[in-house]
Amino acid sequence: MAARADQGQRPTLRKDYRAPAWLVDHVDLVFDLGPERTEVTAHLDIRRNPDSAQPQAPLRLEGVDLKTLDVAIDGQSVPARQLRFDADCLVIGQFPDQARITTRVAIQPSRNTALEGLYLAGDSLLTQCEAEGFRKITWFPDRPDVMSTYRVRLEADREHFPLLLSNGNRVESGLLDDGRHFAVWSDPFPKPSYLFAIVAGRLKAISDSYRTVSGRQVRLEIYSEPENLGRLDHAMASLKKAMAWDEQRYGLEYDLDVYHIIATHDFNMGAMENKSLNIFNARYVLADRDTATDADFEAVEAVIGHEYFHNWTGNRVTCRDWFQLTLKEGLTVFRDQEFTSDLRSRAVKRIDDVASLMARQFPEDAGPMAHSIRPERYMEINNFYTATVYEKGAEVVRMYQTLLGQAGFRRGLDLYFQRHDGQAVTCDDFLAAMADANNRDLRQFERWYRQVGTPLLSVTRDYDRERQETVLRFQQSLPEHADNSELGPLLIPVKIGFLGRDNKPLPVTLARETQPGPETRLLVLTRESAEYRFRDLPEDALPSLLRDFSAPVALECDWSADELARLAGHDTDPFNRWRAARRLAEKILDHMIDGGGRPPETIELLIEAWQASLGDTGLDPALVAELMSLPSEDELAQQRKPVMVEAIHRARQSLLKHVGESLCTELLAVNGRCQPSGGWSSDGPATARRRLKNASLGLLCASAQSAGFELAVAQYEQADNMTDRLAAMRCLVHHGHRHADKALAKFEHQYAADPLVMDKWFAVQATIPALATVDRVTALLQHATFSLRNPNKVRALLGSFAMHNPLAFHRPDGAGYRLLGEAVGELDQLNPQVAARLATAFNRWHAYDENRAGLMRAQLEALAGRKRLSPDVEEIVSAALRAGAKRGDG
């Protein structure tokens, strides 16, 4: 791939946004498709934007890696001498205020290894245009606030490309000479170029239909390779559930006659919401019990829902510019979280989402690329498809619902669509709709879109004996960052409750109130510090704070180990019960990491809390499994400088072993209780039992119990589903059992032809917690089924190793760093997006000991010194090096 012409570019700033000088009302595209060469003829109906502040601006069209064959204005060819190419732009100065411009270009899909624009995936041609891939297909003002209707004609060899799809409804098709055929698609809804898509290939489909609430019949088709047709049923069922849920919850109905989903193994992201033609990473479509885990089934359901929900929150109403990305992504993540919560366990889903936020987004907040959910600047927009924009953005949307209630949130969303259907808008427009629909002043809430880092909320407690009032004092603060310097306090919704001496919930009644309050009360903080007084509480009432994780903040409170154990065992809020158990485990692990050994009294409190959960047959088994989890080594490392790699690993392994030994009897009992009594099912209760069964198996094996390994061997041999088979294999392999190699060999033999299942095989080996894993991963790079050109393979092997195996990645001799640095450099020439994601493994290099920091810095400097480095990787590497220099490690 040629280096981008914008290498070394200046950052793009949100404050510099200007409305487009030119608009494109309609686009006619003709594709003469072929893998080695595709010709694209584009007819653009262009007019000058009357609302632009640049009335004399020339016409600028973006294009990358295009061979321009012809340019015409209103049918008249433009001589080459009148065309000016400025970096990746075609500039035409003397352009009428309204005209049709026609361009004809040639592109080479088979050489497009970056998987942006039109590329070859197996035997199929398909597109990925978000964020700036359309400019790799044809010349165009490639920005989200230029919205057009599209008519697309596809022509191709009928034998090699019998399937021809694009956005909208098919209006014409037929045969051509020389064994070729064509199809014409028309999308009546204006859309930005990033939502454009085509697919051509030999794929086969399963079909179904859905009748919308107004009676429209929609044809549903999901495509894959012919051999995978039997693994599409769950995706189809998930799509129909999503369509029904969106109608029931938000009154949103699908608006075209067809809905297509395409599964491909070559895709940079999870999926893409192109209007009526969703293109998916196959891992979020294909599922059956033999090849997909329960987590895979849930992910397919969630991602199918996410992309469908984009039809309104992203497509019908889209973002004005890429700084507003969270407008569509944060909102749609929130919607898919609610979808899964309604279909499955709301409590477990909430815990899973927050656990992911803390593991992935909190480190991002503390890292060199920290940014607000609506960034103020970027060098390469691909680097801002982040947990901050998506997951933290979803938490900000959730706060609207917390403040306004579910009905108030619905009113706001209705007004948002009423005002902005068919428009490209901003986060401010969304906030205004929420405020106006509920007659609320939300101006202070807007600061959530600008603040950078994880806010800290500190809480202290007191009891006023004279007035017999319980006092809570709150103090909020923001991390040091230039964007936070003049921001002021945030509006923070905090849900609280109290437990009495008997661990029962108490009414939360403010001192000024005369009637008993609710058991969970919402406080809304608007100042840097605030004091709240409550009556009718005993002096030792135990506060339960930030219930349901009502705001994305880090919470500090001086709970004792005894109090945390009470909350872990008895809080009526499931999230706070889980968080208290985690805090108790963190207290123990911190003590052990610092060399203090195992604190017996505190450990006994943790064991008692886990024991109580294991024995409570009324609890959701999936919730019990969550309550018995420890923070990962990576999460523990985030709180430390220098990071003590070996000490963290030893402490966590030691605690797991001790707890497993202490609870051996209970773990064996629960494992037996969760064994299947009937046939396999993917329903909630069945998946919950498997989740707890495999959590207990993991603890038994972590404590080196022979009974645990016997169970693991038997489970692997007898498993009738991938969830149990993979869990058993992971236990055997990660704990070095003598049957590990046999299990790996059998797994490889059974699934060698299945790319998605082999990804699991690679990931299990990449995360073996041993120094020798570096050498294993190096060898696996040469495996016959591994390819550096396939993003899923890269994530499974190199991503798992660098992001989820700290002991091996941070091997003291730097072998892990060299392995990753070389891979990033090679991958950058093929797929800069994926290379940049891998490079973030070096982000906290300066937080490690001098030896490791020096070795990581050397890899970053080597990457920074490479010729033809992509903007994607350059931005990540430069930010990491600057961050270290600021901290005195550069």
Side-chain angles (χ1 to χ4, degrees):
M1 173 190 159
R4 286 271 297 273
D6 56 2
Q7 187 166 3
Q9 65 187 16
R10 290 183 174 184
T12 302
L13 305 179
R14 184 171 74 89
K15 68 181 180 64
D16 290 343
Y17 171 83
R18 300 292 183 273
W22 298 88
L23 300 175
V24 182
D25 293 321
H26 181 72
V27 180
D28 267 309
L29 294 171
V30 179
F31 285 80
D32 183 357
L33 291 163
E36 302 301 324
R37 177 186 171 93
T38 287
E39 284 195 13
V40 183
T41 302
H43 305 282
L44 313 182
D45 293 336
I46 291 183
R47 61 183 171 89
R48 195 176 287 279
N49 182 4
D51 297 325
S52 170
Q54 309 163 74
Q56 303 302 316
L59 176 65
R60 297 175 65 90
L61 306 176
E62 282 91 21
V64 175
D65 297 334
L66 305 177
K67 181 179 180 180
T68 303
L69 305 175
D70 190 31
V71 178
I73 299 175
D74 288 335
Q76 299 296 313
S77 290
V78 179
R81 65 179 180 276
Q82 293 183 18
L83 302 175
R84 179 164 63 90
F85 293 92
D86 179 8
D88 290 337
C89 287
L90 168 60
V91 183
I92 304 176
Q94 301 299 317
F95 194 83
D97 285 351
Q98 185 166 347
R100 167 168 276 210
I101 184 169
T102 299
T103 62
R104 188 164 59 91
V105 303
I107 54 179
Q108 298 174 291
S110 63
R111 298 183 63 182
N112 182 357
T113 60
L115 311 187
E116 295 178 291
L118 179 67
Y119 64 92
L120 186 66
D123 295 328
S124 298
L125 291 169
L126 50 83
T127 54
Q128 170 56 32
C129 292
E130 188 175 357
E132 296 176 341
F134 192 71
R135 65 189 63 186
K136 291 189 172 186
I137 296 174
T138 190
W139 292 106
F140 197 79
D142 189 15
R143 47 189 287 171
D145 54 354
V146 175
M147 301 180 70
S148 318
T149 56
Y150 281 71
R151 184 181 176 92
V152 180
R153 180 184 174 95
L154 306 175
E155 300 178 2
D157 181 270
R158 187 153 48 99
E159 179 183 354
H160 292 99
F161 302 106
L163 176 70
L164 299 174
L165 300 176
S166 188
N167 311 91
N169 299 317
R170 187 170 62 187
V171 295
E172 189 180 354
S173 63
L175 301 179
L176 300 170
D177 294 337
D178 301 324
R180 295 168 65 77
H181 69 139
F182 75 95
V184 179
W185 294 82
S186 177
D187 186 355
F189 293 96
K191 65 175 178 283
S193 54
Y194 81 84
L195 290 172
F196 171 80
I198 66 170
V199 173
R202 290 198 185 99
L203 304 173
K204 297 295 184 182
I206 65 168
S207 300
D208 205 336
S209 63
Y210 180 84
R211 184 177 294 277
T212 68
V213 69
S214 67
R216 177 190 291 112
Q217 199 73 18
V218 181
R219 189 172 73 255
L220 311 177
E221 295 180 340
I222 303 182
Y223 289 84
S224 73
E225 300 90 345
E227 63 269 21
N228 289 322
L229 287 177
R231 298 161 66 182
L232 300 177
D233 291 341
H234 178 64
M236 182 64 79
S238 299
L239 175 58
K240 295 175 76 172
K241 288 177 184 176
M243 297 177 82
W245 183 87
D246 219 16
E247 289 178 343
Q248 294 160 10
R249 180 73 177 267
Y250 293 114
L252 300 176
E253 182 179 340
Y254 189 62
D255 49 15
L256 285 169
D257 298 333
V258 295
Y259 193 93
H260 295 130
I261 291 175
I262 312 296
T264 176
H265 290 282
D266 298 293
F267 204 69
N268 283 340
M269 299 182 287
M272 182 61 212
E273 69 268 18
N274 315 300
K275 183 78 176 183
S276 79
L277 181 55
N278 290 182
I279 298 177
F280 271 65
N281 188 322
R283 66 178 295 192
Y284 296 114
V285 177
L286 306 182
D288 63 21
R289 75 177 187 180
D290 186 54
T291 59
T293 64
D294 292 336
D296 294 330
F297 271 85
E298 183 173 324
V300 168
E301 185 178 79
V303 179
I304 292 278
H306 180 96
E307 304 308 327
Y308 174 76
F309 301 147
H310 265 313
N311 186 58
W312 280 91
T313 52
N315 296 4
R316 289 283 289 263
V317 183
T318 193
C319 49
R320 184 195 70 180
D321 53 70
W322 291 121
F323 298 104
Q324 318 295 329
L325 181 59
T326 198
L327 174 70
K328 73 182 185 78
E329 294 301 347
L331 175 55
T332 307
V333 169
F334 167 74
R335 277 158 43 73
D336 82 56
Q337 289 174 349
E338 288 292 282
F339 171 60
T340 302
S341 296
D342 284 347
L343 293 183
R344 297 175 180 266
S345 165
R346 178 166 290 273
V348 173
K349 175 61 176 168
R350 188 66 184 134
I351 292 169
D352 285 346
D353 290 339
V354 179
S356 175
L357 185 85
M358 291 178 170
R360 296 175 57 242
Q361 195 278 321
F362 278 23
E364 203 167 85
D365 264 351
M369 291 284 289
H371 55 278
S372 57
I373 66 168
R374 183 185 59 194
E376 296 296 328
R377 64 195 65 80
Y378 64 79
M379 295 286 288
E380 172 53 63
I381 186 55
N382 286 332
N383 287 333
F384 286 82
Y385 283 74
T386 60
T388 299
V389 167
Y390 280 63
E391 277 74 29
K392 185 174 180 178
E395 294 300 322
V396 171
V397 173
R398 185 176 296 276
M399 285 192 289
Y400 282 112
Q401 181 166 282
T402 299
L403 292 164
L404 304 174
Q406 192 172 110
F409 183 82
R410 169 68 187 271
R411 284 193 298 272
L413 202 59
D414 288 347
L415 183 58
Y416 174 66
F417 293 131
Q418 179 185 327
R419 286 177 172 177
H420 302 298
D421 189 12
Q423 297 178 11
V425 299
T426 68
C427 297
D428 290 335
D429 293 316
F430 184 79
L431 184 146
M434 287 288 161
D436 293 349
N438 292 279
N439 195 27
R440 292 283 294 271
D441 183 349
L442 294 176
R443 285 174 293 179
Q444 187 178 3
F445 190 86
E446 186 271 341
R447 295 172 186 173
W448 279 105
Y449 289 96
R450 291 184 284 140
Q451 69 87 206
V452 178
T454 306
L456 175 64
L457 185 62
S458 301
V459 185
T460 57
R461 313 174 263 171
D462 197 2
Y463 188 78
D464 187 334
R465 288 190 177 89
E466 182 178 342
R467 298 167 62 174
Q468 294 188 335
E469 293 174 351
T470 297
V471 184
L472 292 181
R473 296 185 179 91
F474 296 84
Q475 182 77 36
Q476 61 166 291
S477 59
L478 293 173
E480 287 188 15
H481 191 280
D483 291 349
N484 292 338
S485 60
E486 298 180 3
L487 195 61
L490 302 175
L491 187 156
I492 304 179
V494 182
K495 291 182 179 180
I496 69 163
F498 287 93
L499 299 185
R501 297 184 186 91
D502 58 358
N503 294 320
K504 302 294 184 185
L506 298 168
V508 185
T509 309
L510 291 170
R512 64 177 180 271
E513 294 176 337
T514 58
Q515 298 298 317
E519 291 179 358
T520 296
R521 176 178 283 275
L522 177 64
L523 307 178
V524 180
L525 311 183
T526 58
R527 300 189 302 275
E528 286 187 9
S529 59
E531 177 181 288
Y532 288 87
R533 290 174 170 267
F534 308 91
R535 68 177 184 83
D536 300 335
L537 293 173
E539 186 170 351
D540 57 355
L542 177 58
S544 168
L545 306 174
L546 204 67
R547 285 185 160 179
D548 199 40
F549 197 66
S550 55
V553 301
L555 177 68
E556 284 187 354
C557 184
D558 60 344
W559 287 295
S560 67
D562 285 322
E563 289 175 324
L564 289 172
R566 287 173 58 197
L567 291 170
H570 304 284
D571 201 330
T572 54
D573 181 73
F575 168 77
N576 268 10
R577 191 168 179 177
W578 169 82
R579 189 67 186 101
R582 277 294 185 96
R583 289 180 187 274
L584 185 58
E586 288 164 5
K587 275 182 177 284
I588 297 167
L589 288 165
D590 284 343
H591 190 270
M592 296 170 69
I593 292 166
D594 291 333
R598 291 198 297 256
E601 293 181 0
T602 311
I603 286 184
E604 190 58 35
L605 290 171
L606 181 67
I607 291 171
E608 289 174 359
W610 284 19
Q611 192 172 40
S613 297
L614 285 167
D616 188 346
T617 56
L619 277 181
D620 178 354
L623 177 58
V624 176
E626 289 285 2
L627 294 173
M628 294 195 310
S629 63
L630 294 181
S632 70
E633 292 177 32
D634 285 321
E635 290 173 275
L636 294 167
Q638 287 297 324
Q639 309 304 319
R640 295 182 162 268
K641 185 176 180 180
V643 176
M644 303 161 69
V645 177
E646 292 83 4
I648 290 172
H649 177 73
R650 284 194 303 269
R652 191 174 184 278
Q653 293 302 112
S654 175
L655 182 57
L656 281 171
K657 185 175 188 299
H658 181 75
V659 173
E661 290 171 345
S662 302
L663 295 175
C664 178
T665 301
E666 291 86 350
L667 291 169
L668 288 170
V670 80
N671 188 275
R673 193 167 70 234
C674 290
Q675 294 296 328
S677 56
W680 179 88
S681 171
S682 63
D683 67 16
T687 60
R689 287 193 298 273
R690 281 192 292 272
R691 189 167 182 168
L692 180 54
K693 178 185 69 174
N694 289 316
S696 66
L697 182 67
L699 279 168
L700 286 165
C701 291
S703 61
Q705 299 290 316
S706 58
F709 288 121
E710 289 170 8
L711 283 171
V713 171
Q715 179 169 306
Y716 183 81
E717 295 297 333
Q718 299 166 16
D720 67 349
N721 64 86
M722 180 54 68
T723 302
D724 287 345
R725 185 176 296 116
L726 185 64
M729 183 173 74
R730 185 182 293 111
C731 285
L732 297 173
V733 172
H734 282 196
H735 297 291
H737 191 266
R738 65 182 183 276
H739 282 87
D741 289 341
K742 180 182 177 182
L744 284 168
K746 183 176 180 179
F747 194 96
E748 180 186 16
H749 176 75
Q750 185 172 354
Y751 296 108
D754 191 311
L756 293 180
V757 182
M758 285 301 290
D759 290 345
K760 303 178 192 303
W761 185 79
F762 282 116
V764 165
Q765 295 179 80
T767 50
I768 297 172
L771 299 181
T773 300
V774 180
D775 309 305
R776 183 185 288 258
V777 171
T778 302
L780 286 171
L781 289 172
Q782 307 306 315
H783 193 273
T785 64
F786 180 83
S787 172
L788 207 60
R789 292 171 179 260
N790 180 263
N792 283 349
K793 288 289 180 288
V794 172
R795 286 186 283 260
L797 183 59
L798 292 168
S800 296
F801 167 70
M803 307 293 189
H804 303 296
N805 193 347
L807 187 70
F809 178 60
H810 295 291
R811 203 169 87 174
D813 65 358
Y817 307 148
R818 290 192 295 275
L819 170 62
L820 189 72
E822 291 167 6
V824 169
E826 184 178 352
L827 188 58
D828 189 43
Q829 301 304 305
L830 299 169
N831 192 324
Q833 273 193 59
V834 178
R837 293 301 171 100
L838 276 185
T840 62
F842 291 125
N843 274 355
R844 287 194 80 226
W845 64 271
H846 50 81
Y848 289 76
D849 60 78
E850 185 176 350
N851 171 60
R852 288 182 168 100
L855 292 168
M856 280 190 272
R857 183 177 61 207
Q859 291 302 316
L860 287 167
E861 290 172 343
L863 286 169
R866 291 178 67 98
K867 294 180 180 179
R868 300 164 67 87
L869 190 67
S870 72
D872 309 61
V873 174
E874 180 186 19
E875 182 173 26
I876 298 296
V877 168
S878 299
L881 288 170
R882 285 196 304 271
K886 287 178 182 177
R887 291 167 171 82
D889 298 294

